[in-house]
Amino acid sequence: MDKKEFLKAIAEILMADEGGLKEETELNSFPDFDSIAFLQIAMLLEKELNIEANPSEIRSLKTVKDLLELGKFA
């Protein structure tokens, strides 16, 4: 999975436009950044990138850039 595919998957989870995902975008600005999304993102990271992250770690992230860093894309 490359960075573009990762952002597309994140956009789908957050029910957002992929073009609206800028590195500086606050994750809390998405209404769907909730407990279900935390779990889906954790599963995405583990399944596609072999990165273990728990939902509480994802909840503490502030921006899209933080997600990219967790996925080792930044």
Side-chain angles (χ1 to χ4, degrees):
M1 171 172 270
D2 64 18
K3 182 178 177 179
K4 184 175 181 175
E5 292 170 327
F6 180 73
L7 286 173
K8 182 178 180 181
I10 295 298
E12 288 177 13
I13 290 169
L14 298 177
M15 295 185 189
D17 177 30
E18 187 179 347
L21 291 180
K22 306 291 183 220
E23 288 192 5
E24 64 277 1
T25 304
E26 295 280 331
L27 293 169
N28 286 331
S29 69
F30 298 101
D32 289 309
F33 188 62
D34 57 16
S35 58
I36 294 171
F38 307 150
L39 185 58
Q40 289 176 317
I41 293 168
M43 290 171 38
L44 172 71
L45 288 165
E46 187 170 342
K47 182 179 176 187
E48 298 294 334
L49 302 172
N50 293 323
I51 296 171
E52 287 190 34
N54 63 47
S56 62
E57 181 180 2
I58 293 165
R59 182 178 65 214
S60 70
L61 301 177
K62 303 293 182 206
T63 64
V64 172
K65 182 178 181 181
D66 295 336
L67 261 179
L68 290 172
E69 288 173 354
L70 185 61
K72 303 192 183 333
F73 291 109

